[in-house]
C-alpha cells in the first residue's frame, strides 16, 4: 500500500503538452486535419505545433518572376496565413521550423519523402535570408510582435541525416544556421531562434553547434533534438515491423542536451525535444496499440524533469511522408486516425490533461495529483515488455492510500487496454476494413471510448484505500472526489415501487 | 436455443416512434428543451410531438382589446410560430392539442397545474370557434395545407377528469368537440380532428363519444386515449411513491379502443395513445431507473399490434406541472434530464431506432430484426418484478441462433442496466447533488453511456449462436454484422514488436 | 472644418457597455433570447447583464415543504444555474438584482406586470436573509469567490414606486436593504452590494439612503438609479405614444447621484445607472426607429463622464412585462426584435464597439477615436427634434480634418437612417406583417444591414478631409485607414479586356 | 414598357445549376474549399460537381506493391471516400471525370499543370480497366447503386489538346474510351458513361466520336464538351490579359453538339457542357469583375435552350493549375475567393437561384419568373461592350409592366455593379493588399454584399410598373411581392413622438 502524501511535493510540469508534431504544414489546410486538431485542443490543449515544409513549394511562399527583363521575387503568404489563422483560432501557436528549400532557390534536386521536400542548401544565401526576413516580417505585421516573439523558430530538420540535408554537411548547416539566425534577429532581436534539430544518435552535433555558435557569436535561444527508440525497419507492404528499446531510453535521450552542454554558452537555454515517439516510421502498427500508451506513460509522467518540452510526433494520421495511407489503421503516428478515431495514446494524453496542478506522488507505475477543488487524480499504467517475448503480465496490482477531506469518496475510473478505448481491436474484429463505411466508423468511434466504472468508497482517517488491478497494457485514470451527501432523509430505494421496506 | 427464421415474418411497426409527449408548448421556446429535442431527433427520430397549453395565456394567442368603444380580438402567433418553426427545423411535426382556455375567454377560474392552465369551458363558443379557425388558418397560411393536413388535431385533454375539465362534464365536452371540429373543417375539410383524449379508467366515454358524433354527424378522423399503470400516490417532499401494474396492462389499455368501438362509425379510424407511461406523476423516481426501461421494453416491442401510435409522456424533464424541479434527478417523465443526461428509457428508444425494418422474431424477452445490408439486430430485456418484493432475477439467459450470410460475424453489444447507461446510479454515488457542477455533469454524461462490448463469432451453416446473459433490469442491443476480412496476409500480431513469431 | 487633434485627449470610457438590461431572468432560458445575446456579445460585448425576477416564482428558488410535521425550506438553483451558466458561456456576467418576492415568502398579494412579480415585503426577514445567503453561497460555491465578487448585487427595483414596492414605503425598503446587505456580507465581506435602484424623479431617496446607511453603518458598495425621458403614456391598443424630453435630460439624470451625494459617505462610490432609455414603456414604437439611435448617440458618447455604467433597458424584445408581443415590431425596448432583427439603436451600439481606445475629439454631433493600428474612427449623428413638430433637418453637414500617417486613406462608411439599417421601414412597406414568414424575415434581416460605402481619399500634410452629409436621423460610422499600396506596376484596368490603353 | 404576360410561357430550365466545376479533386479535402462549397450550396444549390485528378497520385488510389515476389495492386479509397462523403454531406453529387494517369500506371512522363497531372495513356489497358472497375465497384458498395447511377462518368479531359493527352492522339483516346466504358458497364449496365470532353475548336472530334462508338457499338450515355470565349494570353507576372468574344459565342458553342450530332446514334443523348467560362485562364482578372457577371447573365438565362447542363469553371479560387495564388484577387475562376469573399458572378448565380419556377418573360436584358406564392422575380442586366473600347453605357433603362394579384406591391432590389456587390473595387481602393488582414477581410466581406433598396408601389389594373435604371455592368434582382396590409387603424407615424398630427 503506497501512502500518498497529503502535501504536494511540487507542481506537475507542463512540458508534456508544450508542443505536438504535425505532418507537413500544407496539410493544415485540410478539413480532417483541422477537425482532429479541434478535438485535440478541446481534450488535451497543446500550446505549440511543429511540422516540416513551411517554405516548401506546396506552401507557395517563394515566388520568383521576371518583369522588365529583371528577375524579382514575391514572397507570398496566401497559405501561410490560412494555416496560422487556423492554428490561432484553435488555440495553438506555431513552433516554426524553417525548411525545406523552395525548388527555385535550391542548389540541387535531392528530395525527401513522397511529397518531395527539397533538402539541398540554398543556391543563394542572400535570397534565403531575404525569404526568412520576409516571412518573419510578415508574421510580425499580421499577428503582432508580442505574439510572434512567443513562437520558437527552429532552423531546418535533422541536418545530421543525409536524407534531410544533402550529405549531412555540418559546415553547410552551420552556415545556414548563422545566416538564418541573423535574418531572424534583423526582424527583431527578441525573436527566438534555435537548433540544431538533430535526430537521435548524433549528439556530437550538439558539441559542435555549441562551439560554432560561441566562436562566431551566433545567437541561440534554445537547443533542440529528437528522440526515438525503434530499431531497423523490417518491411512488409505498406508497413514495417521494428524492435523497440525500453521507454527509459527516451528519457535518457531527453537528458542528453543538458548533460552534454554543461559548461558551454548553451548550458542554461531551454531544451526542446521537437520530435519524439517510439518508432520513427509512419507505418508501424505499434502506434495504434494499447501497448503504445502503456509504453509512453512513464515518459509523459517523467519527461518534464529533463526538458522544457517533448513533442509527440504527430497528432494526426493525416500525414503523407510515406505516401497516402491505404487503410484507416496503418500504423500512423497520429493520436487520431483520419476521421477522428481516438487511439490509446490519445487517451494517455487526454488523461494527463485531467491531472491536477499539485503533484502528490510519482512512481514507476503511477502519478498522483490534486486539483484546487480537492479532487485527487491518479494516472496508473501496467508495465510493458518490449521484447515481445511475453505480452506483459496479465494483471498488475497497485494499492494507494489517498488523502481526502471528506467522509466518503466518489471514484471514477477510465480504462484503456486491449479491450477498451481501443478501436484497433474492434477494427480487427470487423475484418480490418480499409475504408470503413459510416456504420463501421460509428462502431469504431464507440469502441474508442475508454471503459468506465465508478463506485463509492469510505474515507477513514482522512484517507481512501484505492486498490487497482490493471489488465495487460492498461492505462487508467482514477479520479477520487469528496462526496457531500445531499440525498434527502426520505430517499429509500426499497420503496421505489411503492411497497413497504422489506 | 431460439432459432430465428431466415425470412422476415413482417415489418417492424413504426407506432412506437410516431409521437412523443412534451411539457406545455410554451416550454418549447427554451434552449434546454430544444437542445434535448435535437439530441432525441438525431438518436430516435420521432415523427410528431404533443403537449398541452397551445391556447393558454403563456402562448399569447387570444388577445382581446378595445378600440373606438368596441371589444375586438387579435389572434397573435408570435410564440406559436417560434415553436412550430423550431419543431419543423428539428424534423418533428406538431400533434396539435387544442387547449387550455385563455383566461379572458374562460367561463370560470378553475386552473390545473403549477402553471395554472384554465380548464373551464369557453364563455363564448363563437369566440372559441373563431380562435380555432384563426389558429388553423394561420398555420395553413404559414406552413401550407399539404403540411398542416398531416398534423392531427386533438380536442382538449382528459375531459373525463374534473381536474382537467370543469366537473368532467361530458355534455360540455361534446359541445366543445362539435364546435371545434366544425371550426377545423371550415378551414379545410382535409384537416384531421379527433378526441376524446381520455385518461385511463373512463372507457365508457369512448362509447358515448361514438354515439354523440354519430348522432350529430360530427366529424372524427381519429380516436385518442391515454394509458398509465401506477397506483395512488404516496407523497414525500418533492416526490411520490407508487405501485405499478405489470406492463401488460399498458398493452391491454392500448387494445381497448379498437375492441370497444367495433361496430361503431369510429371502428376503422386510426387510434392514437396520445400519452402513456408507467406513473402519471412527474416526480416519481421510477422514471429515472433501469427498471423502467426493462419494464417498458415489451410495450415498445408489441404496442404497434394495437394502435397507430403510443406517445411516451414526455421526452424531457423540462416540465413544470408540479413546479420547477429542485434536483437534477427528480422522477421527471423525461427521456432526458435537464442538460441532456440520457436515462435508461432514452436508450430503450435509441435501441429501438437502431432496429431494422424486417421483423425476424419476437418473444417475451426479445425482438429480432434485419437491416437491408444484412445486419441482424436483437433487442433483449430482462423480466422485471413490479411487486418490488424481489429486485428481479440477477441473471437472465437468452440464446439465439441467428441467420447470417457470411463466414464470420462481428457482434456489438450495448448494455443498459443498474450499472451502465445509468446516470442515476452515478448521481446517487456522488451524493445526489441537486445542482451538479460542470465536473459532475461531465461524470453524469459519461455514466449515461451504455456499456459496450464487441467480439467476433464464427458462422456455422449460415447461423451464429448468440448466447446472452442479462443482468438485473438489463436492456441490451446486439448487432450481428457479416464480416468481410480484408486483413492482409502479412498481418501478424505476434511480430508487432519486431521479433520472430514464437 | 473641424481639426481633429493628432494626439489623444484621453481614453474613451467604457461605461456605455458596462451593463445591459434584460427582461425577467427566467426568459434567459429561452432559445431566441440566447441567440440574441450571442449576436450582441459578438458585435457589442457588454460586460454585465441585469434583469428582474431572480427570486420570483418562475425561477423556483424558494421552496418550502413539510417533513415530519415541520416546515422546512429548500433553496433550489435548477434554473438559476442554467441562466448563469448561459451568461458566462456568452461572455457576460450577471449584475444581480435581488427581487421580487417569492409568493410563499410574501407578506401580501400585490403583483406587478403581466407575469405577476410579487412586490410586497417578506413575511419573515429572517427567511429572506436565509434566501439571500443561500443564493450567494451557492453562487460562490459554483463559480468561485473570485468570480462572484465581480458581480454587483442590487437590492430590489424602484422601491420608490408603489407599483414596484408596496406603498413605496421607504422605511420598509431601508429595512430590506439592511437585512439584505447584512446577509450578503455574511457570505463574504468582499461581495459588492448596493441600491437604492430608484426610478427618475425620486432623488430625495438618495439623500435618505445615504443618511440611513450612514446612521446604521450599513454597507453600500455602489449607488444605483434609473433614467428615462418620456412623458405620460397615451394608450392605443397594444401600444402607447409619449412625448420625449431632449436627450440631455438623460445626461442630467446620470449626473444627479454624484452631485447629490457629495459630502456623504457614499460620495466616492461607483454610480450605476442600472436602467435607462427614452420611454419606459415596452410598447412605444419610438424604440424601433432611426430617430431613437440619433437621439441616444450623444448619450452614449458622453454618459461616461458622469457614471461608471448606464445600462440600456433592454437588449431584446423577448420581454413580457406588458404581455406577449403581438407583432414583430411592437415598440419593444430591444436592440433586437424576436428572431434577431437589428434595430437602429443596435447599430449605434455596434458602431460604438468599433471605436478605438484613444479619444481624439468629441463634439455635439461627433466622436473621433483612434485604434492601435493607426485607423481613425468617427461616429457622427444628425441632430433630432423631439418636439415631433419637424422631422429634423433633412441634411446635416460635418467636415473633419483627420490626422493619418500615410499617403492615402481608405474610408469606409456605414449608415443607419430612415432608409438604411432600418428594418422597420421595410416592415411597414411590406404591410406591417405581425407574424412575418420566412421570406419576409429574410427581407427584414437584409433591410437591417446598414448602408455601406467606401472610397479612397488623398492625405495632405498628414491629414484627410472627410466631408460628411448626414440624412435625417442618420447615425454613421466612418473608418479612415492608412493605405499601403501593393498594386503591381503591371496593373492596368484599361487593359482588362486585352486591348491597348486608349 | 414591356408587358410581362400574366400566364407562364414555360418552366425556367435548371441547366444553369446542374453542375459546377472545381479545382482538382484533392483540393476537396481542404477546409476553405468545403467552407466555400457550403456557402454556395446554401445560396445557389448546384446538383453536381466536376473536377480533374480523381485518379492522379494525390488521391492515392492506384497502389502497386510487391509481395512474395509478385507485383500486386491495392486500390485505395482513403481520400476518395473523404471527398465524396463531404460532397454528399453538402448536398452535391460528383460528376466523375476519370483521369489523369497514376504515375506508376503511365506510359510516359508528360504532365500538365503546376501540380503535375500525368497525361499519357496507360502502360496497361488491363490495369486501367481494373482501376476503373475497382473504383466504381467501391463507390457502388459504399453509396449504393441507386445513388451512383445518377453520377455521370466522363472519360478523361480535353483529349484533343496535346497538353492534356499525349499528342492529342484521337485513336488512343477512342481506345481509352472503349476500355473505360466497358469497365464501367461491367460494374453495372445502368451506370452512365460519356465523353469526349473536348475543348472549344475541335468539334470534328464529336463526329469521329460518334462514328467510332457506333462502329464498335461502344456505350455512350451522354456527350460532353467545353466552351470558352477568350483570345490568346498576353502574360504579365502572375496574370494574363485576353480579349473576349461576345457572350453569344458561348451559346453558339453550347448549341454545337446537338446540331452536329443530328442523325447519329448520339443525337438524342443528354449534352453536358462540362466546363465553360469567359477566359480559360485561372489568372485573368476579368473573372473578378462586375463586367463578368453582366457578360454571363444572358448565358445563364438562355443556356438551357441548348444543353442539359453548362458547368461554370469553377466555384472557388482554391485552384492550383497555375500555381498557388499570390494575392486574394488574382483573376481566379472562382465564384468565391479564398476565405469566401463573393464575386459579382457569385451573385449572378445566387440571383438565378432566387428566380421562380414559372417563366413569364425573357429578353436580351431581362428574365422574369414567378414563384408559387405569387411573387414575381426579375433578373435584369446592363449590356456590355467586350471590345473594351468603351466601358459600356453608363445607364441602361428597362421598364416592365408586371402582373400581380394584390392592391400594392413590395419591391426589393439587389444590385451588383462597379460599386456594390463588388469586393474587388474595395480591395483596389484599400491598396490591393495581397494578404488582407482580419480587418481588411471584414471590409471585403461587407463590400461583397449587393446594394439593396426597397419600396412600395401601387398596383393598377393588376399590374405594377417597374422602372429600372441600371448602372454600368449592373446585374440586378428585383422581387415584386403582393402586400397584405396589416397595419392597424391607430398606426400614425405623425404621432410617434406623442404630439397631435400636424
Amino acid at each position: 500500500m503506497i501512502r500518498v502524501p497529503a502535501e504536494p511535493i511540487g507542481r506537475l510540469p507542463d512540458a508534456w503538452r508544450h508542443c505536438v508534431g504535425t505532418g507537413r504544414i500544407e496539410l493544415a489546410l485540410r478539413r480532417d486535419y483541422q477537425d482532429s486538431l479541434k478535438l485535440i485542443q478541446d481534450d488535451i490543449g497543446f500550446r505549440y505545433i511543429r511540422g516540416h515544409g513551411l517554405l516548401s513549394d506546396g506552401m507557395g511562399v517563394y515566388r520568383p518572376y521576371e518583369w522588365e527583363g529583371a528577375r524579382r521575387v514575391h514572397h507570398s503568404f496566401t497559405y501561410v496565413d490560412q494555416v496560422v489563422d487556423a492554428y490561432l483560432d484553435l488555440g495553438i501557436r506555431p513552433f516554426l521550423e524553417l525548411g525545406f528549400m523552395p525548388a527555385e532557390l535550391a542548389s540541387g534536386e535531392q528530395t525527401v519523402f513522397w511529397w518531395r521536400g527539397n533538402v539541398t542548401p540554398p543556391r543563394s544565401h542572400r535570397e534565403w535570408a531575404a525569404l526568412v526576413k520576409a516571412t518573419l516580417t510578415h508574421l510580425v505585421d499580421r499577428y503582432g510582435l508580442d505574439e510572434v516573439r512567443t513562437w520558437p523558430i527552429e532552423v531546418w530538420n535533422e541536418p545530421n541525416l543525409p536524407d534531410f540535408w544533402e550529405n549531412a554537411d555540418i559546415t553547410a548547416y552551420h552556415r545556414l544556421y548563422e545566416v538564418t539566425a541573423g535574418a531572424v534577429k534583423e526582424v527583431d532581436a527578441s525573436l527566438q531562434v534555435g537548433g540544431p534539430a538533430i535526430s537521435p544518435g548524433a549528439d556530437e552535433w550538439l558539441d559542435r553547434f555549441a562551439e560554432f555558435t560561441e566562436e562566431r557569436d551566433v545567437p541561440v535561444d534554445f537547443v533542440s533534438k529528437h528522440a526515438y527508440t525503434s530499431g531497423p525497419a523490417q518491411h512488409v507492404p505498406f508497413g514495417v515491423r521494428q524492435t523497440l528499446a525500453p521507454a527509459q531510453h527516451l528519457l535518457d535521450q531527453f537528458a542528453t542536451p543538458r548533460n552534454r552542454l554543461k559548461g558551454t554558452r548553451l548550458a542554461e537555454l531551454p531544451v526542446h525535444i521537437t520530435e519524439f515517439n517510439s518508432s520513427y516510421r509512419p507505418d508501424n502498427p505499434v502506434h495504434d496499440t494499447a501497448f503504445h500508451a502503456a509504453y509512453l506513460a512513464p515518459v509523459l509522467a517523467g519527461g518534464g524533469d529533463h526538458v522544457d518540452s517533448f513533442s509527440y510526433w504527430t497528432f494526426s494520421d493525416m500525414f503523407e511522408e510515406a505516401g497516402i495511407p491505404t487503410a484507416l489503421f496503418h500504423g500512423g503516428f497520429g493520436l487520431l486516425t483520419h476521421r477522428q478515431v481516438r487511439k490509446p495514446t490519445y487517451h494517455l494524453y487526454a488523461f494527463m490533461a485531467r491531472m491536477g496542478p499539485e503533484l502528490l506522488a510519482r512512481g514507476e507505475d503511477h502519478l498522483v495529483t490534486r486539483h484546487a477543488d480537492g479532487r485527487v487524480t491518479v494516472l496508473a499504467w501496467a508495465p510493458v515488455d518490449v521484447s515481445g517475448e511475453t505480452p506483459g503480465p496479465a494483471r498488475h496490482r497497485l494499492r494507494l492510500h489517498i488523502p481526502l477531506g471528506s467522509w466518503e469518496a466518489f471514484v471514477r475510473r477510465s480504462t484503456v487496454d486491449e479491450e477498451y478505448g481501443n478501436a484497433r481491436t474492434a477494427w480487427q474484429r470487423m475484418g480490418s476494413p480499409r475504408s470503413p463505411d459510416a456504420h463501421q466508423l460509428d462502431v469504431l468511434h464507440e469502441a474508442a471510448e475508454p471503459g468506465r466504472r465508478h463506485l463509492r468508497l469510505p474515507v477513514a482517517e482522512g484517507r481512501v484505500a484505492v486498490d487497482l488491478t490493471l489488465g495487460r497494457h492498461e492505462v487508467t485514470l482514477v479520479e477520487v472526489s469528496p462526496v457531500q451527501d445531499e440525498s434527502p432523509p426520505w430517499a429509500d430505494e426499497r420503496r421505489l415501487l411503492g411497497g413497504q421496506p422489506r
Side-chain angles (χ1 to χ4, degrees), chain A:
Chain A
M1 179 78 80
I2 295 161
R3 189 178 168 87
V4 174
E7 291 309 311
I9 58 174
R11 308 284 293 175
L12 183 65
D14 218 30
W16 67 271
R17 75 163 143 202
H18 192 76
C19 192
V20 74
T22 166
R24 75 181 187 284
I25 295 299
E26 180 192 336
L27 298 176
L29 298 171
R30 295 200 177 162
R31 170 72 178 274
D32 184 88
Y33 179 109
Q34 291 189 27
D35 287 351
S36 288
L37 191 51
K38 172 160 183 27
L39 183 61
I40 278 188
Q41 289 305 91
D42 287 349
D43 283 355
I44 302 173
F46 289 105
R47 313 286 187 231
Y48 291 89
I49 187 164
R50 170 191 173 276
H52 309 322
L54 181 73
L55 302 177
S56 290
D57 291 351
M59 292 297 285
V61 177
Y62 180 80
R63 308 301 290 275
Y65 64 96
E66 293 267 330
W67 178 246
E68 295 179 342
R71 187 173 182 281
R72 295 152 195 254
V73 178
H74 259 356
H75 297 105
S76 173
F77 301 101
T78 302
Y79 285 174
V80 170
D81 289 354
Q82 284 189 28
V83 169
V84 178
D85 287 0
Y87 283 159
L88 298 181
D89 279 353
L90 290 165
I92 199 163
R93 291 169 155 146
F95 190 118
L96 298 172
E97 176 200 318
L98 298 177
F100 296 119
M101 198 55 61
E104 296 184 273
L105 181 53
S107 57
E109 300 201 345
Q110 186 189 333
T111 64
V112 66
F113 303 140
W114 175 82
W115 56 270
R116 300 192 199 122
N118 185 298
V119 292
T120 67
R123 215 172 40 190
S124 154
H125 281 81
R126 190 186 46 72
E127 283 209 30
W128 170 262
L131 168 62
V132 168
K133 276 183 61 180
T135 302
L136 270 305
T137 300
H138 173 78
L139 293 172
V140 167
D141 284 353
R142 187 175 183 91
Y143 301 105
L145 181 58
D146 286 348
E147 174 65 33
V148 179
R149 72 157 61 97
T150 71
W151 307 354
I153 303 164
E154 194 181 32
V155 180
W156 211 256
N157 179 68
E158 301 191 351
N160 61 299
L161 294 179
D163 276 358
F164 282 99
W165 180 240
E166 204 181 28
N167 305 320
D169 179 339
I170 196 167
T171 309
Y173 177 70
H174 286 166
R175 182 167 175 213
L176 184 81
Y177 183 85
E178 181 171 11
V179 167
T180 307
V184 167
K185 294 292 185 182
E186 257 187 84
V187 176
D188 193 274
S190 71
L191 297 177
Q192 308 168 50
V193 67
I198 52 170
S199 73
D203 290 335
E204 66 284 1
W205 276 58
L206 291 176
D207 313 335
R208 299 185 54 188
F209 184 66
E211 290 159 23
F212 171 76
T213 53
E214 180 148 17
E215 240 172 65
R216 312 243 328 157
D217 196 21
V218 178
V220 184
D221 297 304
F222 63 88
V223 171
S224 65
K225 66 163 289 191
H226 299 169
Y228 290 98
T229 50
S230 52
Q234 307 159 39
H235 290 276
V236 292
F238 308 105
V240 299
R241 297 163 183 153
Q242 291 170 291
T243 57
L244 295 187
Q248 179 60 39
H249 285 224
L250 282 171
L251 295 171
D252 295 345
Q253 292 179 52
F254 292 2
T256 309
R258 288 223 176 117
N259 291 338
R260 196 130 187 167
L261 295 170
K262 266 184 200 141
T264 74
R265 204 181 57 154
L266 310 184
E268 302 301 316
L269 294 182
V271 174
H272 296 298
I273 303 300
T274 51
E275 292 181 18
F276 90 96
N277 206 317
S278 54
S279 161
Y280 58 82
R281 291 281 318 180
D283 51 1
N284 185 333
V286 79
H287 295 127
D288 303 334
T289 64
F291 165 88
H292 203 249
Y295 174 80
L296 289 184
V299 178
L300 266 67
D305 292 353
H306 306 292
V307 289
D308 296 89
S309 77
F310 46 108
S311 177
Y312 187 74
W313 187 254
T314 61
F315 81 94
S316 161
D317 278 354
M318 185 58 76
F319 191 91
E320 298 179 341
E321 294 187 357
I324 296 164
T326 60
L328 187 73
F329 282 96
H330 57 268
F333 291 121
L335 297 172
L336 291 168
T337 71
H338 288 193
R339 295 170 183 269
Q340 293 78 57
V341 177
R342 291 170 291 168
K343 299 185 190 174
T345 307
Y346 180 97
H347 291 300
L348 170 64
Y349 270 93
F351 289 170
M352 280 297 289
R354 284 162 59 189
M355 301 300 281
E358 295 181 357
L359 181 59
L360 295 186
R362 196 166 68 188
E364 60 180 16
D365 55 4
H366 67 275
L367 181 70
V368 187
T369 64
R370 189 161 55 201
H371 282 267
D373 63 7
R375 197 175 357 135
V376 173
T377 306
V378 178
L379 181 74
W381 54 90
V384 301
D385 174 359
V386 296
S387 76
E389 294 301 311
T390 66
R395 289 283 172 273
H396 177 75
R397 192 169 177 199
L398 173 64
R399 296 166 70 203
L400 298 163
H401 218 194
I402 289 174
L404 199 77
S406 65
W407 295 105
E408 289 185 290
F410 177 74
V411 179
R412 171 202 200 187
R413 178 168 175 188
S414 303
T415 289
V416 170
D417 62 11
E418 290 297 319
E419 196 64 32
Y420 291 101
N422 195 327
R424 182 175 179 257
T425 297
W427 182 74
Q428 289 175 322
R429 287 187 185 146
M430 294 163 86
S432 307
R434 292 193 283 130
S435 292
D437 63 25
H439 183 258
Q440 290 171 323
L441 283 167
D442 179 46
V443 175
L444 292 172
H445 281 287
E446 219 177 79
E449 290 286 318
R452 280 149 186 164
R453 277 166 291 172
H454 47 77
L455 70 166
R456 191 148 158 185
L457 289 180
V459 178
E461 299 176 15
R463 289 188 172 264
V464 200
V466 173
D467 188 341
L468 300 172
T469 301
L470 278 69
R472 180 166 295 139
H473 299 157
E474 179 169 347
V475 175
T476 201
L477 180 77
V478 179
E479 282 182 6
V480 184
S481 304
V483 167
Q484 290 190 296
D485 205 319
E486 299 186 20
S487 60
W490 55 81
D492 182 350
E493 285 297 289
R494 295 165 307 165
R495 298 191 57 196
L496 192 66
L497 289 168
Q500 295 308 313
R502 288 172 302 276

